[in-house]
Amino acid sequence: MHLPNSSEIEITTFFLIGMPGLEHAHVWISVPICLMYLVAILGNCTILFVIRTEPSLHAPMYYFLSMLAVSDLGLSFSSLPTMLRIFVFNATGISPNACFAQEFFIHGFTDMESSVLLVMSFDRFLAIRNPLRYGSILTSARVAKMGLVFLIKSMLLVLPFPFTLKRLTYCRKSLLSHSYCLHQDVRKLACSDNTVNFFYGFFLALCMMSESVLIAVSYVFILKMVMGIGSHRQQLKALNTCVSHICAVLIFYVPIIALASMHRFGKHESPVAMILIADAFLLVPPLMNPIVYCVKTQQIHQKVLEKLGLQQQSQ
C-alpha cells in the first residue's frame, strides 16, 4: 500500500507564534497587550466622538484625523482576535481562510492609514501655503469623497491577496513567524509557484513606499515655505501645526521600516526582537496617535477635557 509523503499532505491549519521561549509567561504578557488594545480602542473612539459632537471641530484637519482614527480602529480589531487567542488562551492554530481574511483587513487598513497620512501632509501644506482659501478648497463634501476614495482604493488594492493565497498549495511548513497573518509570511509557506503573489506584494509595497516619499517631499516644500516667513515666531507657529502629524508619520513608518530591514538584513537576529517590532507595528500607532493628538492639538485637548468634565466649557 502506498503511504503518502508528508510533503504531499496539504496543510489545513497554520500556527501563529507568540514569544519564543516565553510561552510560560504568555498570560502575564497578555496583561500589557490587553491594556494597550483597551487604551487604543477607547482613545480612538473618544477622538471620533469628540469630533462628531463638537461643531467647532467640523473642519478638514479633524475630518482627516477621524479617518486616521477609523484606520487605527480597523488595525486594532483586525489583529485583536489572534493576539488574544495566543497570549490569553495559548491557542496558536488558525484556519487558512481565517488567516487570509485577517491579512486582507490588516493590509487594507495599513494602506488606508498610509494614504490618510499622505493627504494629511497635503492638508498641512495647503493650510500654510494658502490659509485664506484653505476652507474653500477642502470643503466637507470634498473631504468625504476623499475618505471614500481612500477606503475603496485600499480595499481594492489588497482584494487579490486572499484569492491569490487561496489558490496556492501548502504542504510542508505551517508555522508563521508573527502573532498575526501577513501576506508575505503566508506566501513563504506555499509549496507551489507563488510568483504572482511575490510581484503583486512587491507592487503594493512600492505603492506604500511612494506615499512615504510623497510625505517627505511635502515636508520639504512646507519647510521651504516656513523659512520664507519673516517672523521667527510665525515660523514656529506654522511648524507647530505639523508636529502631531510628523509624530504620527514616524510612529507609523518607523516600525514598518525596522521590520522590513530585519527581514532583509537581520536573518540571524533574535526572533523575539523581530516579533516585538512586528507587534509594535500594529499596537503602537493605534495606541499613540490619539495620545499625540490629544496632547499636541490644543482644540482636541480642550474638548476632550470638557467632555470628561475636567474643564469648564468655553463660551
Side-chain angles (χ1 to χ4, degrees):
M1 184 177 71
H2 171 69
L3 292 175
N5 190 307
S6 60
S7 64
E8 297 173 356
I9 301 174
E10 188 170 353
I11 298 298
T12 57
T13 303
F14 294 138
F15 293 95
L16 300 165
I17 193 169
M19 291 292 175
L22 297 174
E23 289 81 3
H24 61 282
H26 275 183
V27 174
W28 298 108
I29 296 172
S30 70
V31 175
I33 288 177
C34 289
L35 286 175
M36 290 173 75
Y37 272 116
L38 182 63
V39 173
I41 292 169
L42 288 177
N44 284 290
C45 286
T46 300
I47 292 285
L48 290 172
F49 174 74
V50 169
I51 293 175
R52 173 70 179 83
T53 56
E54 282 296 332
S56 62
L57 299 181
H58 292 178
M61 173 183 173
Y62 303 109
Y63 291 145
F64 291 131
L65 179 55
S66 297
M67 296 177 198
L68 187 67
V70 169
S71 60
D72 280 336
L73 285 172
L75 281 176
S76 294
F77 286 119
S78 297
S79 60
L80 181 61
T82 53
M83 295 283 273
L84 289 184
R85 290 183 74 244
I86 291 170
F87 291 103
V88 177
F89 304 106
N90 205 29
T92 59
I94 184 171
S95 69
N97 287 337
C99 189
F100 302 156
Q102 184 182 50
E103 61 87 23
F104 167 76
F105 286 110
I106 287 177
H107 286 291
F109 283 112
T110 299
D111 183 80
M112 181 177 173
E113 180 145 346
S114 178
S115 298
V116 172
L117 289 172
L118 172 60
V119 79
M120 288 176 84
S121 68
F122 170 73
D123 168 77
R124 292 299 84 211
F125 170 78
L126 190 61
I128 294 172
R129 184 177 185 273
N130 205 337
L132 296 179
R133 294 190 59 204
Y134 171 72
S136 61
I137 295 173
L138 286 179
T139 62
S140 298
R142 283 177 181 166
V143 172
K145 289 176 183 177
M146 291 169 74
L148 186 60
V149 168
F150 293 150
L151 179 61
I152 294 173
K153 185 268 293 183
S154 298
M155 294 305 146
L156 286 180
L157 264 181
V158 300
L159 187 60
F161 276 174
F163 297 105
T164 55
L165 287 174
K166 193 174 179 63
R167 72 177 182 82
L168 299 177
T169 304
Y170 306 91
C171 53
R172 295 190 185 95
K173 298 178 290 184
S174 60
L175 183 63
L176 297 165
S177 56
H178 299 302
S179 304
Y180 48 85
C181 295
L182 291 177
H183 174 262
Q184 61 270 29
D185 205 14
V186 177
R187 175 183 60 79
K188 291 177 182 177
L189 298 183
C191 53
S192 56
D193 182 37
N194 59 13
T195 305
V196 173
N197 299 72
F198 172 80
F199 281 109
Y200 192 76
F202 183 68
F203 165 73
L204 192 62
L206 283 179
C207 290
M208 285 192 61
M209 191 183 302
S210 66
E211 289 178 338
S212 65
V213 171
L214 289 173
I215 291 172
V217 170
S218 70
Y219 270 101
V220 170
F221 284 109
I222 287 173
L223 283 173
K224 187 178 179 181
M225 285 188 301
V226 169
M227 293 305 171
I229 299 175
S231 167
H232 180 67
R233 184 177 179 180
Q234 287 180 323
Q235 288 179 348
L236 291 177
K237 185 178 179 181
L239 285 175
N240 192 51
T241 63
C242 303
V243 171
S244 299
H245 179 255
I246 293 172
C247 290
V249 169
L250 293 175
I251 288 167
F252 180 73
Y253 281 107
V254 167
I256 292 178
I257 295 170
L259 186 60
S261 301
M262 291 181 76
H263 272 292
R264 178 65 181 87
F265 304 108
K267 300 292 184 181
H268 304 292
E269 293 289 337
S270 166
V272 174
M274 192 171 291
I275 289 167
L276 283 173
I277 296 294
D279 289 346
F281 158 57
L282 289 188
L283 284 170
V284 174
L287 172 71
M288 292 304 300
N289 284 339
I291 295 174
V292 167
Y293 274 93
C294 282
V295 171
K296 297 299 297 180
T297 307
Q298 184 179 358
Q299 294 89 338
I300 295 287
H301 179 78
Q302 180 181 340
K303 295 303 179 182
V304 168
L305 291 180
E306 288 178 6
K307 294 295 182 183
L308 294 175
L310 300 176
Q311 181 175 306
Q312 289 186 349
Q313 292 192 5
S314 55
Q315 299 298 322

